[in-house]
Amino acid sequence: MNEHASRAVFRTSQLEEADGDGLNPTDNRTMGDVIATRFSRRDFLRGSMAATAIAATVSPLALMAADEAHAEGAAGSKFDFTEVEAGVDEMHHIAEGYDADVLLRWGDPVFADSPEFDPANQTPEAQARQFGYNNDYVGFIPIDGSSEHGLLVVNHEYTNEHLMFPGIVKVEGDKLTVAAADQKRVDIEMAAHGGTIVEIRKENGKWQVVTDGARNRRITAGTEMELRGPAAGHARLQTKADPSGTKVFGTINNCAGGVTPWGTYIMAEENFHGYFVGELPADHREAQNYERYGVPDGSYEWGNFHDRFDVSKEPNEPNRFGWIVEVDVEDPNSVPKKRTALGRFKHEGAESIVAADGRVVFYLGDDERFDYVYKFVTAGTYNPDDRAANMDLLDEGTLYVAKFEDDGSLTWMPLVFGEGPLTAENGFESQADVVIETRRAADLLEATKMDRPEDIEPNGTNGRVYVMLTNNTKREEADAANPRAKNAFGHIIEIAEDGGDFAATKGTWEVLLKCGDPSVADVGATFSTETTKNGWFGMPDNCAVDAEGRLWVSTDGNSPKATGRTDGLFAVDTEGAARGTSKLFFRVPVGAEMCGPLILPDMQTAFVAVQHPADGGEDWEGFGRPSYYEDLSTRWPDFKDDMPVRPSVVAITKQGGGRIG
């Protein structure tokens, strides 16, 4: 059995991909150390989290009482929907009174001439004109200011070959074997990565794809892109195919992302390490750099067919990934830009907000155990009346990394060549070296090691910033900002920037929620007592803030084995008496991850992404492992229109119209 193929078949989720010991070699303080110091029990109960802290020791009987109270509505909650019941099955579930309609599925047409989807006879050419695989980030760019007509932008993060290609996995008892990849299969995978830009329109209350939209586009792992910013043209980005160091083919592992205030699409390159094979000599210039990022990992077999993904043949190619990509959606022929000023790491997303002085602030998470929280502040200011003037704002600015202190203060430390330890003595010759080795630069600044920073969302309504920290079971000791060792369920941090200025270099922080089952005292969850047995969650991942300033959280990692429930979309109160209360709004099928989410400005539609449904479904006794790997070509007629076997974007609307939530 091919080594790389055998590894790929078990690549079940983003959680599993990041489930290592972490690659941070420093002894910098962890967020758990900081939180533990800050929150002694006495001080914790004095603070604003006192009410929610009580939930850490509530009994199941107390939760039952809370369920009854919650049925009447949590006091002061900004959400009024009837909660979904948590559980596990093969379907999706939405709150009563709402419709959840599948808008796009893997293989659906993006263009009027897209070929019909046939998974048993797929080709790279067909996949490049169809909706890609594993849809993660979902954004909306209105056309003529409308909330009912616009461009949907969607990231395609990675591929699950064992679900995509009929017949490649064989089951003999408990033994699994997978066929080695050939070039056609690899090229289909490459075409299924990247992103989709597609026009959509709401007609008679339902959303439709406009396949003849003039701006429709597929971006893949083969799309030509330009490197911009401080690292562009640097010798460390030059290859045989691109001696200029300015042209890259493709973008990979696009997780969350963003839409800029000027209406461009942001794609965040996350776990790029898994796409590379080969070996570098121990004394190679990039050996230490690549070790810090886990390159090469060899989860994919692309390097067996494309030399650029083999570091022994193209040692600089990994430096050309791990960036933020900006796409001009108005021109389907535009060359996407990799904006190196925002740093190189395993980017989860890039949500932005305009600061009071007109500069634009992007919040960035590096999704790995013991890595860091960042933000980027543009040097120039946003001009709402001149789109063209904003198009290169991301090439100049300051990248910062966060240091969380025991006393609840926060410092944003600039990653600027020549300042502090970022000098030639430590191997940095220019700002290009700083951004290429962002992780090592942040290590030297002694940034706070976090529990997998994922989505980070600024809230323009209350002036706060919400940081999703998924989990870290490898943490041995807690600290102030990462309050639990062996943190299996994750937590959410709330940041208040000084003076409400998102561009500030100082601020304060608080733990909004420690996640997990509140009925289990040892878990130490801090949901409010108004949160029902259905409303608590673990593993926060993506999030969104709607037009009313309400927080929505999607999860990745809840499963029959981990929590006895599937992932979902949760509404979380952040203000007043209901602070810390969570309600389950949407539940995904077994094996799926909940991604997106997005609530349109008119509050009439929510979009969510259901990623890798059925993956890992064998943990649920109702699924059954043999059928999981059964040849899909023999089953396809029964499953072609069934959501659970195809990654999908779902449009949620209220029956009869009205506000979501």
Side-chain angles (χ1 to χ4, degrees):
M1 179 164 47
N2 182 284
E3 177 187 355
H4 300 311
S6 67
R7 294 184 66 184
V9 76
F10 297 110
R11 188 175 61 249
T12 58
S13 71
Q14 201 62 6
L15 174 67
E16 182 178 59
E17 286 193 59
D19 195 19
D21 292 334
L23 297 169
N24 192 330
T26 72
D27 58 2
N28 295 353
R29 295 189 74 204
T30 67
M31 196 60 163
D33 297 332
V34 181
I35 291 180
T37 302
R38 184 179 180 200
F39 292 108
S40 68
R41 183 167 179 79
R42 180 190 64 184
D43 291 338
F44 187 76
L45 292 175
R46 285 178 177 173
S48 64
M49 292 296 292
T52 58
I54 297 170
T57 56
V58 297
S59 68
L61 288 176
L63 285 175
M64 290 174 61
D67 287 350
E68 296 176 3
H70 198 84
E72 300 300 321
S77 176
K78 293 186 177 181
F79 302 96
D80 58 9
F81 62 87
T82 301
E83 188 170 39
V84 173
E85 183 177 355
V88 180
D89 62 27
E90 74 280 13
M91 297 302 295
H92 70 249
H93 298 267
I94 184 66
E96 181 181 345
Y98 291 83
D99 289 329
D101 300 311
V102 176
L103 178 65
L104 276 164
R105 301 162 301 174
W106 166 48
D108 280 351
V110 175
F111 307 96
D113 64 351
S114 295
E116 184 178 356
F117 183 48
D118 182 354
N121 296 285
Q122 183 67 306
T123 67
E125 295 76 17
Q127 180 64 83
R129 299 191 68 75
Q130 297 163 341
F131 193 63
Y133 201 78
N134 272 346
N135 33 245
D136 194 298
Y137 175 74
V138 179
F140 181 83
I141 300 171
I143 293 176
D144 297 329
S146 173
S147 285
E148 297 192 348
H149 184 205
L151 299 176
L152 194 74
V153 296
V154 183
N155 283 352
H156 300 296
E157 185 179 2
Y158 66 101
T159 48
N160 294 96
E161 298 92 323
H162 55 294
L163 295 177
M164 292 177 67
F165 299 102
I168 70 168
V169 179
K170 303 299 181 184
V171 181
E172 298 176 0
D174 293 332
K175 183 180 179 182
L176 305 177
T177 58
V178 58
D182 55 25
Q183 178 146 358
K184 179 181 177 182
R185 195 172 100 195
V186 164
D187 290 350
I188 292 170
E189 292 174 34
M190 294 176 71
H193 278 66
T196 293
I197 301 166
V198 65
E199 184 176 337
I200 60 172
R201 185 190 298 272
K202 195 175 185 182
E203 298 178 355
N204 300 318
K206 297 294 182 181
W207 287 91
Q208 309 291 331
V209 172
V210 182
T211 56
D212 60 355
R215 285 161 283 197
N216 292 5
R217 184 177 187 180
R218 274 300 324 280
I219 294 168
T220 74
T223 300
E224 181 179 332
M225 303 194 168
E226 181 183 1
L227 286 155
R228 295 290 298 268
H234 194 278
R236 298 176 70 181
L237 274 67
Q238 294 170 2
T239 65
K240 298 183 187 75
D242 174 33
S244 73
T246 61
K247 184 170 72 173
V248 179
F249 284 103
T251 181
I252 52 178
N253 211 268
N254 300 105
C255 195
V259 169
T260 66
W262 50 96
T264 56
Y265 165 32
I266 297 295
M267 308 171 74
E269 296 182 326
E270 193 187 23
N271 287 312
F272 61 92
H273 64 294
Y275 297 81
F276 292 92
V277 301
E279 187 174 348
L280 284 181
D283 61 352
H284 192 279
R285 169 71 174 85
E286 303 300 340
Q288 181 183 10
N289 170 26
Y290 290 176
E291 182 178 4
R292 186 64 178 86
Y293 291 92
V295 175
D297 175 83
S299 291
Y300 287 86
E301 299 178 84
W302 296 7
N304 298 337
F305 304 96
H306 297 273
D307 286 353
R308 65 190 179 106
F309 292 106
D310 185 337
V311 297
S312 65
K313 298 176 180 177
E314 280 288 8
N316 284 347
E317 189 74 14
N319 282 336
R320 295 148 66 85
F321 295 90
W323 304 105
I324 289 296
V325 182
E326 183 178 16
V327 184
D328 181 2
V329 299
E330 294 300 318
D331 178 5
N333 297 309
S334 64
V335 177
K337 309 292 193 297
K338 294 198 177 187
R339 304 291 190 179
T340 66
L342 281 76
R344 173 174 168 268
F345 45 88
K346 296 177 183 178
H347 285 278
E348 170 72 21
E351 297 290 356
S352 61
I353 194 164
V354 179
D357 64 1
R359 291 182 293 168
V360 186
V361 182
F362 287 76
Y363 288 92
L364 312 161
D366 186 353
D367 184 9
E368 187 139 27
R369 286 167 170 77
F370 303 113
D371 266 294
Y372 305 129
V373 167
Y374 299 85
K375 77 175 179 183
F376 177 80
V377 183
T378 61
T381 57
Y382 166 61
N383 185 342
D385 300 317
D386 187 351
R387 184 175 187 268
N390 304 313
M391 294 302 287
D392 290 324
L393 279 177
L394 297 187
D395 280 344
E396 294 184 19
T398 303
L399 180 65
Y400 298 89
V401 66
K403 189 168 188 176
F404 296 83
E405 303 289 359
D406 297 347
D407 63 0
S409 63
L410 166 70
T411 301
W412 293 103
M413 302 181 293
L415 292 157
V416 176
F417 171 68
E419 294 188 11
L422 307 184
T423 61
E425 288 77 12
N426 286 313
F428 300 100
E429 300 293 338
S430 66
Q431 186 65 17
D433 288 327
V434 172
V435 295
I436 290 169
E437 296 189 70
T438 302
R439 281 186 170 180
R440 189 167 72 86
D443 293 344
L444 291 170
L445 290 177
E446 299 184 356
T448 306
K449 296 159 70 173
M450 307 296 287
D451 287 354
R452 286 188 61 200
E454 301 225 31
D455 245 6
I456 305 174
E457 185 85 23
N459 185 333
T461 301
N462 66 9
R464 304 299 175 95
V465 181
Y466 296 95
V467 183
M468 304 296 113
L469 297 157
T470 290
N471 58 23
N472 186 355
T473 57
K474 307 301 181 182
R475 179 178 292 282
E476 297 296 333
E477 296 181 0
D479 61 31
N482 296 281
R484 291 178 291 187
K486 306 293 184 184
N487 180 11
F489 300 105
H491 56 292
I492 300 174
I493 283 178
E494 181 184 67
I495 293 172
E497 304 278 28
D498 274 3
D501 179 9
F502 291 104
T505 58
K506 298 284 186 179
T508 59
W509 64 272
E510 180 66 271
V511 177
L512 172 66
L513 282 177
K514 290 191 286 184
C515 303
D517 187 348
S519 71
V520 181
D522 289 346
V523 169
T526 59
F527 292 95
S528 81
T529 53
E530 292 288 334
T531 301
T532 76
K533 64 181 181 298
N534 298 312
W536 66 264
F537 58 84
M539 302 81 160
D541 188 332
N542 299 140
C543 64
V545 172
D546 65 27
E548 295 180 4
R550 303 180 303 170
L551 179 64
W552 299 81
V553 176
S554 65
T555 64
D556 173 19
N558 295 270
S559 68
K561 185 176 180 180
T563 60
R565 56 186 63 201
T566 64
D567 285 314
L569 178 62
F570 296 81
V572 179
D573 279 294
T574 61
E575 308 288 341
R579 179 177 167 91
T581 301
S582 171
K583 294 176 65 177
L584 177 57
F585 181 68
F586 182 89
R587 193 180 101 200
V588 299
V590 64
E593 171 189 349
M594 181 86 269
C595 299
L598 171 70
I599 292 83
L600 293 192
D602 68 356
M603 303 286 289
Q604 303 291 302
T605 302
F607 291 108
V608 294
V610 178
Q611 185 164 253
H612 57 75
D615 195 24
E618 67 270 14
D619 286 340
W620 176 49
E621 63 181 11
F623 197 94
R625 190 172 198 132
S627 65
Y628 180 36
Y629 295 109
E630 190 176 355
D631 188 333
L632 284 178
S633 64
T634 64
R635 297 192 296 143
W636 193 255
D638 295 330
F639 284 83
K640 189 170 183 180
D641 296 317
D642 192 358
M643 176 184 171
V645 299
R646 294 171 73 178
S648 308
V649 172
V650 177
I652 298 172
T653 53
K654 196 169 187 178
Q655 294 168 2
R659 163 183 173 273
I660 296 290

